[in-house]
Amino acid sequence: MTDLAWPWPAGAATGIGSLPGTDIAEAQRVVLGELPTLPHLPELPARGPGADLIGRTGGLLVELPVELYAARWRIALRPGRDLRRARDLMERDLDQLAEQAEEYAGPVKVQAAGPLTLAAGLERPVGGRMLRDPGAVRDLTASLAEGLRGHVADLRRRLPHAQVLLQLDEPSLPAVLAGRVPTESGLGAYRPVEASTATDLLRTVTEAVGVPVVVHCCAPDVPLELIRSTGAVAVALDLDLVTTLDPLGEAIDAGLGLLAGAAPALPAPTGQAPTSAQVADRVRQLWDRLGFPRTQLARQVVVTPACGLAGATPAHVRAVLAACRDAGRRLSEE
């Protein structure tokens, strides 16, 4: 196994991104309290348009204003109130993070949609998703790369002692590669994007931002080799969706870090949250099946919930984040 220094401490735990509610100050307090080794900037989609994945990321684009039209985000002819709202929400979130974590000196993670998911979710001004036009996708990726570079620089100014990690959320990546993204009529699908093209688009963003990048995909059939070849330092995935071990083992052996989604995002039918021992066992069992030495586990793996927690109750959120944190500590002590 490649001996690398991953950009987080041994036994780290973090969240994927979204939390329930509309109070960013409270959400940030929860994250900083429960995830002290690798906190993240919370996302609160319950606040409405501009707080969702596509709108939030659209607000970061450079020279490509976005707007809502018929409840869908699209490229606009000029900046308007929808874009101002998305940017105001982000500014408020960053202000709150800076206020609560001004002296924080460890790694901190922020999230944004990756170029393929953004192209699949954002529409052109004349109709149809950006995915329909390869030239438009390239322009969108360049705009995203520039916007995220500025976003990271802004965060670095606000938290001068922290080390920033960027998570690119790519839930649509497998569908984009397989040609499963439906057209507006629902009667067809957009042409698949070649793996080499997807790699180039992701690499454009990864190389532009100047900080370590994690690619998150909470869908089946995560293209692990593609993600590794983009220059990402880690992949974040739901362990319950891992059906074939060989690709994951090869990626880990090549040095890719793993944000292991080992705790359920929603409560079990019994209402009970997982214990830290259960979460640690879930990660440990996978690692053992892959055949890697336990001594490397706590350095290469970060413990996370399976996906975002926007649909959970506040009590479940606290319990899951605490279980992930304590599971990471358990693994680091072995």
Side-chain angles (χ1 to χ4, degrees):
M1 184 182 297
T2 305
D3 187 13
L4 297 176
W6 290 278
W8 52 72
T14 192
I16 292 299
S18 66
L19 296 181
T22 59
D23 186 343
I24 186 60
E26 175 60 18
Q28 194 64 75
R29 280 192 289 272
V30 169
V31 167
L32 290 170
E34 303 295 349
L35 302 170
T37 57
L38 181 49
H40 67 284
L41 180 65
E43 302 163 350
L44 304 179
R47 292 182 293 181
D52 58 294
L53 178 62
I54 300 301
R56 189 173 173 85
T57 306
L60 298 173
L61 296 174
V62 174
E63 297 183 357
L64 281 179
V66 296
E67 65 180 0
L68 273 175
Y69 178 77
R72 296 190 296 269
W73 286 100
R74 71 176 183 181
I75 300 298
L77 297 178
R78 61 187 63 85
R81 65 179 182 180
D82 297 325
L83 178 60
R84 287 195 298 274
R85 174 179 168 79
R87 289 179 172 172
D88 286 348
L89 286 170
M90 181 66 80
E91 188 74 10
R92 193 179 312 165
D93 292 356
L94 292 175
D95 285 346
Q96 187 58 230
L97 178 61
E99 179 179 329
Q100 294 196 36
E102 182 179 9
E103 298 303 320
Y104 177 74
V108 62
K109 180 170 69 67
V110 294
Q111 305 82 218
L116 284 309
T117 291
L118 195 59
L122 191 59
E123 297 192 354
R124 304 182 306 163
V126 295
R129 302 178 195 242
M130 297 288 282
L131 195 60
R132 180 177 180 178
D133 183 345
V137 175
R138 288 193 296 272
D139 292 343
L140 178 67
T141 300
S143 174
L144 177 64
E146 185 175 353
L148 287 175
R149 183 167 55 240
H151 183 50
V152 166
D154 188 13
L155 186 57
R156 280 172 153 171
R157 286 192 295 270
R158 293 168 186 260
L159 300 179
H161 309 295
Q163 299 85 51
V164 178
L165 277 70
L166 172 66
Q167 175 181 301
L168 293 177
D169 289 319
E170 283 286 9
S172 298
L173 180 57
V176 168
L177 294 171
R180 297 196 307 261
V181 177
T183 58
E184 287 61 42
S185 69
L187 300 177
Y190 289 101
R191 289 179 298 178
V193 172
E194 294 290 336
S196 59
T197 300
T199 301
D200 289 343
L201 295 171
L202 276 165
R203 187 184 294 121
T204 294
V205 178
T206 298
E207 293 179 347
V209 294
V211 295
V213 171
V214 175
V215 177
H216 167 238
C217 185
C218 53
D221 303 320
V222 178
L224 291 163
E225 177 56 29
L226 185 156
I227 289 172
R228 190 182 69 81
S229 65
T230 66
V233 299
V235 61
L237 45 77
D238 180 349
L239 295 190
D240 284 342
L241 299 179
V242 176
T243 57
T244 305
L245 293 181
D246 286 349
L248 181 58
E250 291 169 3
I252 289 174
D253 192 50
L256 193 69
L258 175 63
L259 272 63
L266 295 174
T270 61
Q272 293 181 330
T275 66
S276 61
Q278 291 170 330
V279 175
D281 283 345
R282 181 75 179 87
V283 177
R284 195 184 296 111
Q285 288 167 11
L286 174 72
W287 197 256
D288 289 346
R289 289 173 64 199
L290 291 170
F292 295 120
R294 290 264 185 100
T295 54
Q296 194 65 38
L297 193 163
R299 286 294 299 122
Q300 195 163 357
V301 177
V302 175
V303 183
T304 77
C307 204
L309 298 170
T313 64
H316 184 72
V317 167
R318 285 184 179 273
V320 164
L321 297 184
C324 290
R325 177 199 65 218
D326 293 342
R329 289 175 179 169
R330 283 172 176 265
L331 296 172
S332 68
E333 292 168 356
E334 295 179 352

